[in-house]
Amino acid sequence: MESHDHEECPKSPQTPSPPSSTTTAVPTCCKCGGPTFPPPPPSWSENSPPINYRPIRAPAINLPPNNSQQSIILAPVPQSQKVPVVSPPYHFQTPSKIIQSPDDIRRFHDSFAGKNFLGFVVALSESIRVHKISDPCLESPVVESIVSILQTLNQWVDQIPPAQQASRYGNASFRIWHARLEMQSESLMNRFLPDDLRSSTVEIVPYFTDSFGNPSRIDYGTGHETNFAAWLYCLARMGVIKEEDYHAVVSRIFVKYLDLMRKLQLVYSLEPAGSHGVWGLDDYHFLPFIFGSSQLIDHKYMKPKSIHNDDILENFSKEYLYLSCIAFIKKAKKGPFSEHSPMLDDISGVPNWNKVNSGMLKMYKAEVLEKVPIMQHFLFGWLIKWE
């Protein structure tokens, strides 16, 4: 069909258009009958409201896609709890995975085990408040032994170099490292367990071996990190770790664990497990942001916005976990910080570290402990009971 210039037909005074509140007449072409210009948007009334407006770009405040941020803000701040120590007779058992649905998640958080485990994480956070990593603290023989174990695992990485392979993520040598971990974990636990608790290895070893990533998928994420916290919680339940050890648990044990995990991530190219991408807090970790924000509460000079000061990151990242995480992310990721880490960029606008810490605790509960894809791998035995 040949193209032509549309000509609007003159209106006839003998045939007026009937009035309508819902439609608008569109002028038509005399030659082809087609519209001479696009019709106007449809009118609407109370009975026919406009469609929901959908912006073509993300809002200025980078909320997660499911918009769960509002529920996190309104949630109560988790509180610390004392960990009750078990007494004989002991009934240690091989732990198993139980959580499969949102109903199971709610049941876990309504149980004593769920509340007490989260309360333990809060207590660890409070133990490091206003303290630098290098500040002196009580280092019991158990703490020193666990630090030594983590140093041993670190040395294994040097002994098992990454394999030469084409794929970018998931170096197969990690499976060799993890197989050695599984083979020697029981003997590692016996370095610090008293004789009457050595039978607990059947229960605590699975938490420990699942704290460093998955050897099949060669990945690591917040679920594995949570298993390490659960392993520490089991030690607290048995009285192996005491409340006076909590400061050292964070500043000595967890710091050493974080160093080891970063080495494993870099050397064996561990894939992020269940990463939220740019919407997430971090591809691998969550707990160091909780502990690190607690360290900085009431700091005279460093504010949440200080993460954008490279001199501060360079000079203080070895003393503060939060700054250490930001520095590591900036080295690992390219491009503007606001683009690859929008949530952390937004959090830097929070006025003080106390608000950051309370928000992190609420977010950990909502985005880690209440997510089925993460918690379906969580283990339950006699020390952490399914109730």
Side-chain angles (χ1 to χ4, degrees):
M1 181 181 291
E2 295 182 0
S3 61
H4 65 276
D5 295 329
H6 290 293
E7 296 180 9
E8 183 178 341
C9 294
K11 294 182 180 178
S12 172
Q14 286 81 16
T15 57
S17 299
S20 173
S21 61
T22 58
T23 60
T24 303
V26 178
T28 57
C29 176
C30 292
K31 296 180 181 179
C32 67
T36 56
F37 56 83
S43 58
W44 56 280
S45 64
E46 291 182 358
N47 296 325
S48 178
I51 60 173
N52 291 332
Y53 170 67
R54 294 179 182 273
I56 60 174
R57 64 178 293 278
I61 297 177
N62 294 292
L63 300 179
N66 61 5
N67 207 18
S68 63
Q69 193 85 349
Q70 189 65 21
S71 61
I72 295 174
I73 292 172
L74 297 176
V77 180
Q79 301 298 310
S80 65
Q81 291 191 14
K82 291 186 178 295
V83 178
V85 178
V86 295
S87 55
Y90 303 124
H91 302 285
F92 302 118
Q93 63 187 63
T94 303
S96 59
K97 300 174 183 179
I98 295 178
I99 292 177
Q100 296 180 342
S101 68
D103 287 338
D104 292 336
I105 290 285
R106 284 189 286 271
R107 181 172 172 179
F108 171 60
H109 283 285
D110 288 339
S111 70
F112 168 79
K115 293 175 181 177
N116 199 235
F117 172 66
L118 181 57
F120 170 71
V121 172
V122 180
L124 291 179
S125 173
E126 291 179 352
S127 73
I128 196 68
R129 181 168 293 183
V130 307
H131 288 294
K132 295 186 294 184
I133 291 174
S134 63
D135 282 354
C137 61
L138 174 66
E139 296 184 51
S140 67
V142 168
V143 168
E144 292 177 344
S145 180
I146 295 174
V147 169
S148 174
I149 289 170
L150 294 172
Q151 288 173 337
T152 298
L153 303 187
N154 197 305
Q155 291 167 2
W156 291 355
V157 181
D158 300 326
Q159 298 167 9
I160 305 172
Q164 297 296 319
Q165 59 184 47
S167 59
R168 177 184 173 191
Y169 280 109
N171 193 282
S173 289
F174 176 69
R175 293 180 176 139
I176 302 173
W177 183 92
H178 204 279
R180 184 184 293 186
L181 171 71
E182 293 178 347
M183 183 173 61
Q184 298 194 27
S185 282
E186 185 171 351
S187 63
L188 293 174
M189 299 299 102
N190 286 331
R191 287 189 189 181
F192 61 85
L193 287 174
D195 291 341
D196 62 328
L197 289 173
R198 294 204 166 191
S199 59
S200 68
T201 55
V202 67
E203 184 159 342
I204 66 173
V205 162
Y207 288 102
F208 186 72
T209 55
D210 204 28
S211 298
F212 304 93
N214 183 282
S216 299
R217 299 187 301 269
I218 314 183
D219 65 6
Y220 174 88
T222 50
H224 302 104
E225 180 187 66
T226 296
N227 271 317
F228 187 72
W231 176 72
L232 293 171
Y233 175 73
C234 288
L235 298 184
R237 287 276 283 145
M238 295 188 294
V240 176
I241 287 177
K242 299 176 172 57
E243 197 166 342
E244 56 264 29
D245 296 319
Y246 285 5
H247 181 177
V249 167
V250 178
S251 65
R252 302 295 183 265
I253 294 175
F254 189 82
V255 167
K256 187 65 67 176
Y257 168 75
L258 186 61
D259 289 343
L260 169 60
M261 287 319 309
R262 285 175 178 162
K263 187 171 184 177
L264 289 170
Q265 290 155 21
L266 292 174
V267 172
Y268 299 128
S269 303
L270 302 188
E271 192 141 18
S275 171
H276 286 225
V278 296
W279 294 108
L281 196 64
D282 179 81
D283 286 343
Y284 298 104
H285 294 285
F286 202 115
L287 290 177
F289 292 96
I290 294 177
F291 303 149
S293 57
S294 181
Q295 284 183 281
L296 289 160
I297 288 175
D298 296 331
H299 196 283
K300 286 184 178 181
Y301 309 111
M302 281 185 278
K303 307 299 179 186
K305 64 183 179 181
S306 298
I307 66 167
H308 301 295
N309 188 316
D310 290 338
D311 288 337
I312 287 178
L313 294 180
E314 183 178 353
N315 292 316
F316 297 99
S317 60
K318 292 183 180 180
E319 290 287 9
Y320 296 99
L321 283 166
Y322 197 100
L323 303 182
S324 172
C325 289
I326 298 296
F328 186 78
I329 290 171
K330 286 190 172 185
K331 287 181 181 178
K333 296 188 176 183
K334 305 300 181 184
F337 185 76
S338 59
E339 292 183 8
H340 61 65
S341 301
M343 186 174 288
L344 287 169
D345 187 60
D346 282 348
I347 292 170
S348 70
V350 175
N352 59 68
W353 289 109
N354 197 49
K355 287 184 178 294
V356 173
N357 182 250
S358 60
M360 289 290 178
L361 287 167
K362 292 191 287 185
M363 196 186 302
Y364 182 65
K365 181 175 184 287
E367 296 297 325
V368 177
L369 300 184
E370 290 183 355
K371 296 301 183 191
V372 174
I374 296 174
M375 295 303 290
Q376 66 182 348
H377 303 293
F378 196 75
L379 299 171
F380 294 89
W382 183 65
L383 295 169
I384 303 179
K385 293 181 180 178
W386 177 254
E387 298 167 318

